[in-house]
Amino acid sequence: MNQIQPKVRLFSFSFRDFLIFAGIFACAVELCILLRMADSSDGFASPVFVLAVLLISRFTNGYLFGTLAAVLSVIGINYIFTYPYWEFNFTLAGYPLTFLTMFGVSIVTCTMTTKIKQQEKLRVEGEKEKMRANLLRSVSHDIRTPLTSIVGATSTLLETEGLSREEQRELLEDARDEAQWLIRVVENLLSITRMGDARAQLSKSPEAAEEILGEAARKFRKRFPNIRVTVAVPDELLLVPMDAILIEQVLSNLLENAAVHGQTASCIQLNVQREEAYACFTVRDDGCGIPLKELPKLFDGTLKRSETPSGDGKRNMGLGLSVCMAIVRAHGGTMQAKNLDHGAEFYFRLPLSEKGVSET
């Protein structure tokens, strides 16, 4: 897939950038006034305003406010902070050099900042494209097996006479299991599509974490009645900004992963707790743990079928986990996994306020 170059408006105006410009420039003026009151010399103004131009150029978008800061800094140094005060004097030694220095600092810093932001946007877009490519490749390759199994089971039921009730039930259960896996694949595919669409922003609202955990556990118990699930939540109501459907899907994927790839898992603990400015969600099982060679590439969607313990040609652990990681990152959170003495633990953290959400 071809990447779309992010558009950067070099002279765009935004209220946020204006506030940054006004705040930094006002601080520079105030600092020069204080220094002027403490010292009668005039040499302090130039380095102060050079620093102000550098900071404004760094923390605003495009060239508008950096260039404006350079021009106003030269005017301020000449008119306010250089003798004769409150008068322009264009005969000052080094005045053209001061202007060129300010202007050069502004242009160079704005250019570097713009390029850094472009590179970051390209990196994020590249990660999205890689994630979607891995997902589509895994789905297109692995989806044939469950479809073949469903067709085979239903064809046997329709075309074979004299099957016992037990044989019929076994074929129907196989078809049901394959269909449930296909549903999970479709859900993951839709999630990637939602997050990959630049026009579709995550719809986040404060949700009670205990309700999300409870719903994920309820659905899991219906599919895996033989595995015990315990849910632990804090005494206080924990409201977390999230897209409830996507985070519930993350928990469902992690629970299913523990059940399928934990192999010997008989109990899964589902917990959430507050950790400073974050909510930490944990899925812990008592299964066989994670093979050490798989830990470094657990969330990138590159695990092959032969690398997954089940070896059934379709239940690719990396597929679901890469989707989980993408969803958590889209919420400004982080996700990790580790082995325990008995079993494995997956945990992810979500910020409890929109201010804690990092840009991705």
Side-chain angles (χ1 to χ4, degrees):
M1 296 183 182
N2 296 327
Q3 291 183 346
I4 298 176
Q5 294 290 335
K7 295 181 180 179
V8 178
R9 296 180 180 178
L10 302 182
F11 292 95
S12 62
F13 177 88
S14 74
F15 188 65
R16 168 190 171 277
D17 289 344
F18 174 76
L19 290 179
I20 293 175
F21 160 76
I24 294 176
F25 201 83
C27 289
V29 173
E30 184 65 26
L31 179 60
C32 286
I33 291 175
L34 293 175
L35 292 175
R36 182 71 185 83
M37 293 173 61
D39 189 348
S40 58
S41 63
D42 296 333
F44 55 80
S46 291
V48 170
F49 279 102
V50 168
L51 178 60
V53 170
L54 176 64
L55 293 175
I56 290 171
S57 301
R58 170 63 183 84
F59 292 109
T60 58
N61 294 311
Y63 293 82
L64 174 61
F65 290 103
T67 304
L68 181 60
V71 174
L72 293 181
S73 294
V74 174
I75 294 174
I77 292 172
N78 186 301
Y79 188 72
I80 303 176
F81 298 108
T82 303
Y83 184 84
Y85 305 115
W86 303 105
E87 292 182 15
F88 284 110
N89 184 356
F90 297 105
T91 63
L92 292 173
Y95 182 75
L97 180 61
T98 300
F99 176 78
L100 291 176
T101 300
M102 294 284 189
F103 191 71
V105 168
S106 170
I107 296 301
V108 171
T109 307
C110 288
T111 301
M112 292 178 61
T113 302
T114 300
K115 288 185 177 180
I116 290 172
K117 290 178 179 179
Q118 286 178 323
Q119 291 172 355
E120 180 64 19
K121 289 181 180 179
L122 287 174
R123 183 188 66 80
V124 172
E125 289 299 319
E127 289 183 353
K128 287 183 179 180
E129 291 295 336
K130 179 182 177 182
M131 178 183 61
R132 283 186 286 180
N134 287 335
L135 176 64
L136 292 174
R137 183 169 59 250
S138 298
V139 169
S140 62
H141 186 77
D142 295 341
I143 205 171
R144 299 170 185 170
T145 301
L147 285 175
T148 302
S149 298
I150 292 173
V151 171
T154 54
S155 297
T156 301
L157 286 170
L158 292 172
E159 299 171 3
T160 305
E161 298 181 358
L163 289 175
S164 66
R165 196 171 189 83
E166 185 62 29
E167 290 173 330
Q168 293 178 11
R169 180 180 180 85
E170 184 177 346
L171 289 170
L172 288 172
E173 287 179 348
D174 288 342
R176 180 197 61 187
D177 292 342
E178 303 295 345
Q180 287 176 334
W181 185 83
L182 285 174
I183 290 173
R184 179 63 63 197
V185 170
V186 172
E187 289 174 347
N188 288 339
L189 185 60
L190 290 175
S191 296
I192 294 297
T193 302
R194 284 181 60 188
M195 289 182 295
D197 187 354
R199 296 169 298 178
Q201 301 296 325
L202 286 183
S203 177
K204 289 186 287 186
S205 60
E207 301 285 349
E210 61 183 64
E211 293 182 3
I212 305 301
L213 265 65
E215 184 63 18
R218 183 187 67 81
K219 292 180 178 179
F220 177 80
R221 291 187 183 106
K222 291 179 64 177
R223 291 197 57 201
F224 299 91
N226 295 326
I227 298 180
R228 186 165 62 93
V229 180
T230 62
V231 179
V233 298
D235 294 333
E236 62 173 326
L237 180 64
L238 188 58
L239 295 176
V240 185
M242 66 170 78
D243 184 314
I245 295 176
L246 291 180
I247 295 302
E248 183 182 317
Q249 183 179 340
V250 170
L251 293 170
S252 296
N253 279 1
L254 294 179
L255 287 168
E256 180 178 348
N257 178 75
V260 174
H261 299 283
Q263 296 186 358
T264 59
S266 60
C267 178
I268 300 177
Q269 300 175 14
L270 187 57
N271 305 328
V272 64
Q273 61 183 2
R274 177 190 293 269
E275 290 185 357
E276 297 179 350
Y278 293 86
C280 183
F281 297 78
T282 305
V283 178
R284 185 182 298 117
D285 66 72
D286 60 352
C288 62
I290 306 168
L292 295 179
K293 65 178 182 179
E294 294 179 8
L295 277 173
K297 50 187 176 181
L298 203 56
F299 298 105
D300 61 11
T302 60
L303 288 178
K304 307 299 182 184
R305 290 171 297 161
S306 58
E307 296 175 319
T308 58
S310 60
D312 59 4
K314 61 181 175 58
R315 300 189 186 279
N316 192 326
M317 175 168 57
L319 176 61
L321 293 180
S322 65
V323 174
C324 292
M325 174 63 83
I327 292 173
V328 170
R329 282 181 174 174
H331 282 75
T334 58
M335 173 177 282
Q336 292 179 293
K338 65 180 180 180
N339 281 319
L340 306 173
D341 292 336
H342 300 284
E345 179 180 277
F346 289 82
Y347 54 98
F348 62 93
R349 301 164 76 231
L350 300 181
L352 290 172
S353 66
E354 291 297 328
K355 294 181 180 179
V357 177
S358 60
E359 293 184 2
T360 56

